[in-house]
Amino acid sequence: MKQICISSTQLETNAPEGKKNMLVVVSDQAVKENILNQITNGAQMVKLENDPHAAFALIIDGKTLTYALEDDMKYEFLALAVDFKEGTGKTTLAVGDGANDVGMIQEADIGVGISGVEGMQAVMASDFSIAQFRFLERLLVVHGHWCYKRIAQMICYFFYKNIAFGLTLFYFEAFTGFSGQSVYDDWYMLLFNVLLTLLPVISLGVFEQDVPSEVCLQFPALYQQGPKNLFFDWTRILGWMFNGLYSSLIIFCFNIIILYDQAFRAGGQTADMSAIGTTMFTCIIWAVNCQIALTMSHFTWIQHLFVWGSIVTWYLFLLLYGMLSPMISKNAYQLLVEALAPAPIFWYATLLVTITCNLPYLVHISAQRFLNLLDHHIIQEIKYYKKDVEDQHMWTRERSKARQETKISFTARVDAKIRPLKGRLQKKQATFNHRFHS
């Protein structure tokens, strides 16, 4: 790692005893010029570096930093420190283990505190806490990757399911001439986000894993999906919103076309508004829960319980709600038992609408795996076909591609050897400059 050290101590500590007060202004100006030269030389070193994998470390002490942040050189210093938060807008992470790191941790976008011998001040001020510095790799490469994917997919799915549900209400209002009458029972709308679609979202946001933790550590390049924002850009957000629009149109139009003037009961009666609304709501529950099942890459018994249990919960609620007094259940009284369950068209409509709503997304993810493979797709297929066990050479080759080569170790050793020579050279230069000014 190539180090760019900026320091102001040399010129300030060589003023003669008898002329110390006289040279204060001159020394201060010389310090500024020296710091500016060091910043310029450092920026030039970065620009002339031909190795794209070279790593740099900027080292500056607190007193020198006060000079570097003055108006006459702060932009030059900002140009050198390209990761400076206010200048580039990039997300910054600070790691500290003591009380002196609290300010840095609080100022960064993400603060990581290390609990140790220096107390718990850094931990209490941080967003995440780890016991040892070596756990930082797992925090970023594993949990950072998982957390980004989970939150991105969860937010996009929220857009999808609420658009798919909410727009059907608008379509019905337009269909009935904005009469103000709702197609759904009030309890249906109340339980949609509270009970019937809540647990699958929790399972997606807590348990989703596109690849196992050991694979994340073996392929650290997967972490770059987060900084590149592959799963939460406007293209993906608008795609999920369009998917919700498409699903709402399919749910409303198919149910109206199928149930509007078709015989629904055994006696030839057509479906009333409560039957149409309940059938339409059943299609929504099936469509959005099957959609989140297609979105998930990792299934345990918890995900299965939450996703399919939410669908079962809807039928149980409909059954129990219909068993209540007509004063409470109103038009839903015995609706499932006497009207919906005996009608084959209710089950056919539910199946047809569910398949039609989720078919475009299924085609999309299938085509993506054939035409535009992402890194985690390749690793998933390698693990699925057990190529990591059968072909160790290929597995090792793919792992090596996921690691960027740097010269950190080599340059760090070289800098350690020449650092004493640089120190003696800087002292000689400071002595020469002092004699010249004197």
Side-chain angles (χ1 to χ4, degrees):
M1 179 180 294
K2 298 183 179 180
Q3 299 177 356
I4 301 175
C5 299
I6 302 177
S7 176
S8 62
T9 58
Q10 291 88 357
L11 292 178
E12 293 183 333
T13 57
N14 288 283
E17 291 292 335
K19 301 182 179 180
K20 185 173 182 179
N21 296 331
M22 181 184 66
L23 292 176
V24 168
V25 178
V26 176
S27 178
D28 187 65
Q29 184 62 30
V31 168
K32 288 185 177 181
E33 292 179 358
N34 185 37
I35 294 174
L36 185 58
N37 289 334
Q38 294 180 57
I39 294 175
T40 305
N41 294 336
Q44 193 70 17
M45 182 188 303
V46 175
K47 291 179 181 178
L48 295 178
E49 178 59 48
N50 296 323
D51 186 2
H53 302 302
F56 290 89
L58 178 60
I59 302 173
I60 184 170
D61 59 80
K63 191 170 185 179
T64 308
L65 187 61
T66 59
Y67 288 106
L69 295 180
E70 291 183 359
D71 293 336
D72 53 351
M73 68 176 72
K74 65 180 181 181
Y75 294 108
E76 289 80 1
F77 180 70
L78 177 60
L80 175 61
V82 293
D83 289 331
F84 190 49
K85 178 178 153 186
E86 284 78 9
T88 64
K90 294 183 181 296
T91 303
T92 57
L93 181 143
V95 183
D97 62 351
N100 59 318
D101 300 318
V102 170
M104 174 185 66
I105 291 174
Q106 292 178 337
E107 185 66 21
D109 295 306
I110 303 171
V112 179
I114 303 176
S115 57
V117 295
E118 296 191 31
M120 299 293 291
Q121 289 87 347
V123 171
M124 292 186 291
S126 63
D127 302 300
F128 300 94
S129 174
I130 56 179
Q132 298 178 23
F133 189 82
R134 62 187 177 92
F135 296 146
L136 183 63
E137 179 187 18
R138 187 175 182 86
L139 177 65
L140 294 176
V141 177
V142 178
H143 297 285
H145 172 71
W146 284 350
C147 187
Y148 167 73
K149 292 286 293 293
R150 291 167 178 172
I151 293 176
Q153 291 179 336
M154 185 176 64
I155 294 176
C156 289
Y157 177 76
F158 262 113
F159 282 117
Y160 159 79
K161 77 180 184 70
N162 285 290
I163 289 175
F165 169 65
L167 286 182
T168 56
L169 293 168
F170 173 77
Y171 299 151
F172 184 79
E173 289 298 320
F175 183 74
T176 58
F178 295 96
S179 62
Q181 191 169 11
S182 175
V183 68
Y184 304 129
D185 188 278
D186 292 340
W187 278 102
Y188 299 176
M189 295 186 288
L190 178 64
L191 295 178
F192 178 74
N193 279 317
V194 174
L195 179 64
L196 301 175
T197 61
L198 174 65
L199 295 180
V201 176
I202 293 177
S203 66
L204 177 67
V206 176
F207 300 107
E208 172 63 3
Q209 300 177 14
D210 56 346
V211 292
S213 59
E214 63 272 11
V215 176
C216 289
L217 294 172
Q218 292 171 350
F219 292 83
L222 289 173
Y223 177 78
Q224 290 301 318
Q225 292 180 343
K228 292 179 180 178
N229 201 23
L230 296 182
F231 296 96
F232 200 61
D233 55 358
W234 277 109
T235 302
R236 193 167 293 265
I237 294 173
L238 294 176
W240 275 98
M241 295 174 69
F242 177 79
N243 191 19
L245 174 64
Y246 165 80
S247 297
S248 65
L249 287 170
I250 293 297
I251 292 169
F252 178 79
C253 294
F254 274 36
N255 279 280
I256 293 297
I257 294 172
I258 293 173
L259 303 176
Y260 185 69
D261 53 4
Q262 297 289 329
F264 191 80
R265 295 176 181 265
Q269 301 95 329
T270 58
D272 59 3
M273 192 177 70
S274 60
I276 293 178
T278 305
T279 305
M280 194 180 302
F281 195 83
T282 303
C283 293
I284 293 175
I285 298 300
W286 271 97
V288 299
N289 282 289
C290 289
Q291 175 68 69
I292 200 171
L294 290 174
T295 305
M296 293 179 180
S297 302
H298 175 71
F299 273 94
T300 64
W301 67 269
I302 299 177
Q303 282 95 321
H304 284 294
L305 176 64
F306 284 179
V307 173
W308 313 122
S310 297
I311 298 176
V312 174
T313 301
W314 160 243
Y315 287 107
L316 290 176
F317 164 77
L318 198 58
L319 176 64
L320 297 176
Y321 185 52
M323 295 172 63
L324 298 177
S325 169
M327 297 294 295
I328 301 175
S329 58
K330 300 179 182 178
N331 292 332
Y333 179 72
Q334 296 295 335
L335 182 62
L336 178 64
V337 176
E338 296 183 358
L340 299 181
I345 195 172
F346 167 73
W347 303 104
Y348 293 152
T350 303
L351 179 62
L352 177 63
V353 170
T354 302
I355 293 176
T356 308
C357 286
N358 290 280
L359 187 60
Y361 183 78
L362 182 61
V363 172
H364 165 71
I365 59 177
S366 301
Q368 188 180 42
R369 287 184 176 270
F370 279 101
L371 304 176
N372 187 25
L373 276 172
L374 298 177
D375 293 339
H376 67 282
H377 291 152
I378 299 174
I379 297 173
Q380 286 173 351
E381 294 191 10
I382 291 175
K383 297 292 288 186
Y384 179 79
Y385 291 108
K386 298 182 179 179
K387 292 293 184 181
D388 56 324
V389 179
E390 299 174 359
D391 191 349
Q392 287 290 335
H393 176 71
M394 181 271 294
W395 181 250
T396 304
R397 185 183 69 246
E398 294 298 327
R399 287 176 56 186
S400 63
K401 291 180 181 178
R403 298 180 180 271
Q404 295 182 354
E405 295 183 357
T406 64
K407 294 182 178 180
I408 293 178
S409 299
F410 173 76
T411 55
R413 289 194 298 268
V414 173
D415 286 340
K417 292 180 179 179
I418 67 175
R419 192 178 298 117
L421 299 176
K422 287 183 177 180
R424 289 196 292 269
L425 182 61
Q426 288 177 353
K427 288 181 179 179
K428 291 181 179 180
Q429 183 180 1
T431 304
F432 174 77
N433 291 336
H434 166 65
R435 291 177 180 175
F436 177 79
H437 287 293
S438 298

